[in-house]
Amino acid sequence: MTQTLDPSRFAHVTDWVFDLDNTLYPHHTNLFSQIDVRMTAYVSELLTLSREDARKLQKDLYREYGTTLNGLMNRYGIDPDDFLMKVHDIDYSWLVPDPVLGAAIRQLPGRRFIFTNGDRTHAERAARQLGILDHFDDIFDIVAAGLTPKPSLKTYEKFTALHSVIGEKAVTFEDIARNLAVPKKMGMTTVLVVPNNFEPTFSEIWESDPDHEDDVDYVTDDLAGFLERIVADR
């Protein structure tokens, strides 16, 4: 059961951990659709498949291995650097700078991290376009994770060990509920970021995870506003 926001519940937080795609930038920008198309093209070229067959395999790999990259590495031994370079060769001008979000992140007390299943270059380009890159202490990407994606426990353990993050003093923001299960077990406060004006019909888009409802402490469709309320209370 998710809670009504009580900003005082965040008074203990010293580490703020943010997913990137569809979290720090809103779902409606549709930036990830460019990456999705490039992943399908990569699979199609790699295995000489039609676009339809490549897309089906791409989604099957995602469901089985957590990311398309992880699946392609495990099944076909691809070069991850080549994959990451090609699928992130996209137009970042789709993202609109968000000074309100930037101001709220900048005022958060303690450290701020981007924790993404994408690579550092993608995270830096997206965050720079949003105007928020300089407000973060570090980026923990899929390479730092040893190419093992969230929601793997091993990946969260690497992140918390690297940055000495104590679960009870941290909060994590994600757009996929199952990626909050491990942080919740670690003692972190968890926030699910959903599309603006979220409606149940969007469930397929943001990948509703009904089995993980208990892993979500808070839900918001306005990340900047959510952070502003916390900052104002502090």
Side-chain angles (χ1 to χ4, degrees):
M1 181 67 70
T2 55
Q3 308 172 37
T4 301
L5 176 60
D6 175 2
S8 66
R9 295 289 300 273
F10 292 81
H12 68 290
V13 173
T14 58
D15 291 310
W16 308 80
V17 185
F18 296 86
D19 177 48
L20 175 69
D21 296 307
N22 298 328
T23 300
L24 282 173
Y25 64 80
H27 184 278
H28 67 256
T29 62
N30 211 25
L31 184 72
F32 197 79
S33 67
Q34 295 186 59
I35 299 171
D36 196 43
V37 167
R38 289 187 173 276
M39 286 194 289
T40 300
Y42 187 97
V43 174
S44 176
E45 181 178 351
L46 176 71
L47 301 173
T48 320
L49 297 174
S50 68
R51 183 186 182 283
E52 292 73 21
D53 288 343
R55 183 164 180 78
K56 181 181 182 304
L57 176 59
Q58 172 196 342
K59 296 305 178 183
D60 289 344
L61 293 172
Y62 172 79
R63 283 188 289 269
E64 183 175 349
Y65 293 95
T67 62
T68 302
L69 169 60
N70 202 30
L72 289 172
M73 288 173 57
N74 277 276
R75 285 201 193 176
Y76 305 104
I78 69 160
D79 175 2
D81 292 332
D82 179 64
F83 176 87
L84 291 168
M85 179 184 66
K86 289 178 177 176
V87 303
H88 290 133
D89 183 18
I90 60 174
D91 179 6
Y92 288 90
S93 69
W94 287 22
L95 298 179
V96 178
D98 193 340
V100 175
L101 176 62
I105 292 173
R106 186 178 65 250
Q107 295 177 73
L108 294 172
R111 300 181 298 172
R112 309 150 213 143
F113 301 98
I114 295 175
F115 184 177
T116 176
N117 277 343
D119 67 0
R120 176 178 286 270
T121 299
H122 169 57
E124 288 178 344
R125 288 174 177 170
R128 184 178 293 112
Q129 178 67 18
L130 289 168
I132 63 175
L133 177 60
D134 292 341
H135 306 325
F136 288 93
D137 293 87
D138 202 2
I139 297 170
F140 187 87
D141 71 343
I142 192 66
V143 177
L147 301 175
T148 300
K150 297 180 283 186
S152 169
L153 171 62
K154 181 169 65 173
T155 293
Y156 287 95
E157 288 176 337
K158 280 188 176 182
F159 168 72
T160 55
L162 178 63
H163 293 292
S164 300
V165 172
I166 299 172
E168 291 78 8
K169 295 183 178 182
V171 57
T172 187
F173 299 82
E174 276 277 356
D175 69 309
I176 300 175
R178 64 177 172 272
N179 287 352
L180 294 173
V182 172
K184 180 71 172 178
K185 289 182 175 67
M186 289 179 161
M188 295 187 194
T189 301
T190 58
V191 182
L192 184 68
V193 181
V194 299
N196 187 246
N197 298 319
F198 173 75
E199 297 177 2
T201 52
F202 285 10
S203 60
E204 183 178 353
I205 298 174
W206 68 277
E207 300 187 62
S208 175
D209 288 313
D211 294 340
H212 293 284
E213 182 178 353
D214 292 340
D215 297 320
V216 179
D217 292 321
Y218 298 95
V219 176
T220 182
D221 68 349
D222 177 12
L223 178 60
F226 189 92
L227 297 178
E228 282 182 321
R229 291 174 63 188
I230 294 172
V231 168
D233 187 74
R234 298 286 287 251

